[in-house]
Amino acid sequence: MAKNFHTDNKAFMLYKDWEDIFQALDSSEEIGELVMALFAYAKRGETPKLSGGAKIAFLMMRAAIERDGIAWEEMCAQRSECGKKGGRPKKSDESGNTDEKAEQTAASADNAEEKPKGINDTAEKPKAFSQTKRFSEKAKKADKDIDIDKDKDKDTDKDIDKDKDKDKAIDKEKKKDAGTAKSVVRSFGTHKNIMLTSEQYNELESRCRSVGLSLESYISKLSQWLFTKGRNCTDPYRIISGWLDNDSKRKTAAKPKERQGCDLSWYDDYAMNFDLSKFF
């Protein structure tokens, strides 16, 4: 009965150069998942679901385990075939024939006599032919193993390329989602009539925070003014940005003795009395 390395072989190889692969993984949990995946494949032929670096490492190690397992199966098959043929020849049989070692001992005891020319050459030809045939079969088997390894490496490269394509697709979707989030328009203000994108709002807030001003105050005052006048604003970002530029210049130009600490009444007067009609 043919042997199966998954169920019949009691061990599998862990190579020393795999240490670098294990150390390259991100966490101990990922290393543990990879080790259990190797046992599952070597013992039962299972291919667990892994992702990221653990999956790529598993594909590389699986190819080596499978290569070693096939070599073990072929060795078992060869031993079984030899057993069916009777195994190694016995030293002597019932007819009294001696083995090759006994014949060599007898020949060495009578080394004074000259051996007939050509006898040894004729006797050794079958042995030389057998050795040549055995070496030829080993060479063919080695070539076959190399071809199998090349096919497995190609399959592994295909799997790695597929994983890379999936990662690229995921990154592309993330960038797309990030760009969509920046372009989403949201409503702000007391009357929800100030329309800004998330990117515009974040930029204005950052600028206000850098000079100690409040973006919510700008939005609230513009929202109330539009509601009172019954108007719509097509570009609130430009209006608030203009206010912020003017207030930043005034605040920077003001002398320390003229400032009133945290009193922003001057800002309230400026914002409330600012003529908005020129922006429409």
Side-chain angles (χ1 to χ4, degrees):
M1 182 176 179
K3 297 285 188 178
N4 186 305
F5 75 90
H6 289 298
T7 56
D8 299 325
N9 196 3
K10 303 300 181 182
F12 68 97
M13 293 289 293
L14 284 175
Y15 293 91
K16 292 181 179 180
D17 57 357
W18 288 0
E19 181 182 15
D20 296 333
I21 300 176
F22 281 105
Q23 291 178 347
L25 297 177
D26 295 332
S27 62
S28 300
E29 289 78 11
E30 201 171 13
I31 294 174
E33 291 178 359
L34 176 57
V35 172
M36 296 308 298
L38 294 175
F39 276 102
Y41 178 75
K43 190 174 181 180
R44 295 179 294 276
E46 298 176 358
T47 302
K49 293 182 178 179
L50 300 172
S51 61
K55 182 176 182 179
I56 297 174
F58 172 76
L59 293 174
M60 298 171 61
M61 296 176 180
R62 182 185 67 180
I65 293 174
E66 188 174 5
R67 181 185 65 243
D68 295 341
I70 292 174
W72 179 83
E73 291 175 356
E74 292 178 351
M75 180 185 68
C76 292
Q78 290 177 356
R79 290 180 177 177
S80 177
E81 190 67 20
C82 292
K84 292 179 181 179
K85 294 180 179 180
R88 298 179 63 182
K90 297 180 181 179
K91 292 184 178 181
S92 61
D93 52 22
E94 295 178 356
S95 61
N97 294 329
T98 58
D99 58 8
E100 183 181 357
K101 184 176 181 180
E103 292 178 357
Q104 292 177 353
T105 303
S108 61
D110 196 17
N111 56 7
E113 297 181 1
E114 183 180 357
K115 297 178 181 179
K117 185 176 181 181
I119 293 179
N120 287 341
D121 296 337
T122 304
E124 292 177 356
K125 280 183 181 179
K127 183 177 179 181
F129 175 76
S130 177
Q131 290 177 346
T132 304
K133 183 178 179 181
R134 185 171 69 253
F135 293 150
S136 177
E137 290 176 351
K138 288 185 177 181
K140 289 181 179 179
K141 181 177 178 299
D143 293 338
K144 183 179 179 181
D145 292 340
I146 292 174
D147 292 337
I148 292 174
D149 291 339
K150 288 181 178 179
D151 292 337
K152 291 178 181 178
D153 292 339
K154 289 180 180 179
D155 293 337
T156 302
D157 293 338
K158 289 181 180 179
D159 292 337
I160 293 174
D161 292 337
K162 289 180 180 179
D163 291 336
K164 289 181 178 179
D165 292 338
K166 289 180 181 179
D167 293 338
K168 289 181 180 178
I170 293 173
D171 292 339
K172 186 176 181 180
E173 288 295 329
K174 288 181 178 179
K175 291 179 180 179
K176 182 178 179 181
D177 293 340
T180 302
K182 289 182 179 180
S183 61
V184 172
V185 179
R186 297 168 54 194
S187 58
F188 299 91
T190 306
H191 303 284
K192 301 298 181 182
N193 54 355
I194 306 300
M195 309 304 292
L196 296 170
T197 65
S198 299
E199 186 176 11
Q200 289 174 339
Y201 182 88
N202 293 334
E203 181 190 343
L204 292 173
E205 185 179 37
S206 177
R207 290 168 59 188
C208 287
R209 187 166 53 249
S210 66
V211 294
L213 298 175
S214 172
L215 177 59
E216 295 301 326
S217 297
Y218 284 112
I219 293 175
S220 177
K221 293 181 185 301
L222 181 56
S223 177
Q224 182 64 33
W225 187 90
L226 292 172
F227 179 77
T228 302
K229 299 294 183 180
R231 296 184 178 182
N232 294 324
C233 182
T234 58
D235 193 1
Y237 170 79
R238 180 173 60 87
I239 295 174
I240 296 175
S241 181
W243 285 356
L244 180 58
D245 289 339
N246 292 333
D247 290 349
S248 299
K249 291 177 182 178
R250 289 183 56 185
K251 191 171 182 181
T252 303
K255 296 180 180 180
K257 64 181 182 179
E258 294 177 351
R259 295 182 183 177
Q260 299 179 5
C262 296
D263 183 13
L264 296 178
S265 58
W266 63 272
Y267 162 70
D268 292 333
D269 292 339
Y270 172 78
M272 292 303 297
N273 297 323
F274 192 84
D275 184 10
L276 292 170
S277 60
K278 61 182 181 179
F279 290 98
F280 299 93

